[in-house]
Amino acid sequence: MDLTRPYPPDPYSLLPRVPSFQLTSQDVTAGAPMDVRHSQDGANVSPELAWSGFPATMKAFALSCFDPDAPTPAGFWHWTVLNLPAGLTRVPRGFGAPDGALPAGAIRARNDGGTLGFIGAAPPPGDHAHRYVFAVHALDGPVDVPDGIGCTPAAFMMLFRTIARATLAPTYRR
């Protein structure tokens, strides 16, 4: 099957604008290929992420990873964790493990692979490089959703609480 198609826009460019802040990682770099350990071909672990410069008025954070280049009409959600405490400014590699501990009050959303926690990159073999948009959302309060909600409805509910956002988009190709 020929998967030739245009690249979709940055998914956050299609949402109402909010201020940005700094998102960095010792594991991934914007626009550069991710190490295999962050894919389903490797260890399937989320990268280390750290953030700073967010609004002082924020009350919680959410983390997510979205592949806008998946050959579906709606992309592919790899990870969402909501209601992380305001004092948290870094997560270690592997934080997104389905059975890993989360801070009190945090909620895992079900990724598009049907599991809770992070699911690594797995673009179709031979397809163009996919972008994996890691985002940290600064929220004005907790998002009132049940644990295990799907990433898409979680993203919809999060939109109304997001006051700033930071993104970092490495790539992966098989």
Side-chain angles (χ1 to χ4, degrees):
M1 168 183 256
D2 181 7
L3 292 173
T4 303
R5 62 199 182 284
Y7 274 94
D10 173 334
Y12 295 107
S13 71
L14 303 174
L15 297 178
R17 292 187 187 269
V18 295
S20 63
F21 54 97
Q22 185 70 29
L23 176 58
T24 60
S25 176
Q26 297 174 11
D27 292 339
V28 296
T29 302
M34 280 193 294
D35 187 276
V36 69
R37 69 182 164 207
H38 305 300
S39 76
Q40 292 180 43
D41 301 323
N44 206 31
V45 296
S46 61
E48 177 271 346
L49 299 170
W51 52 94
S52 62
F54 44 84
T57 57
M58 56 78 52
K59 305 288 187 221
F61 290 110
L63 302 176
S64 62
C65 179
F66 179 71
D67 173 2
D69 303 315
T72 73
F76 190 96
W77 284 99
H78 286 261
W79 187 32
T80 301
V81 181
L82 301 105
N83 301 340
L84 293 165
L88 186 71
T89 58
R90 180 190 172 278
V91 294
R93 181 182 310 128
F95 179 78
D99 57 352
L102 291 178
I107 294 169
R108 279 189 183 91
R110 189 164 304 282
N111 60 49
D112 284 349
T115 62
L116 297 175
F118 180 79
I119 184 172
D127 199 7
H128 60 71
H130 285 212
R131 295 166 291 164
Y132 293 86
V133 184
F134 289 90
V136 178
H137 312 263
L139 309 173
D140 65 2
V143 180
D144 186 19
V145 295
D147 197 42
I149 188 172
C151 287
T152 298
F156 177 74
M157 297 303 291
M158 199 169 30
L159 173 73
F160 301 101
R161 309 277 353 200
T162 299
I163 60 172
R165 181 182 304 110
T167 63
L168 181 64
T171 64
Y172 190 75
R173 183 177 191 181
R174 288 173 149 165

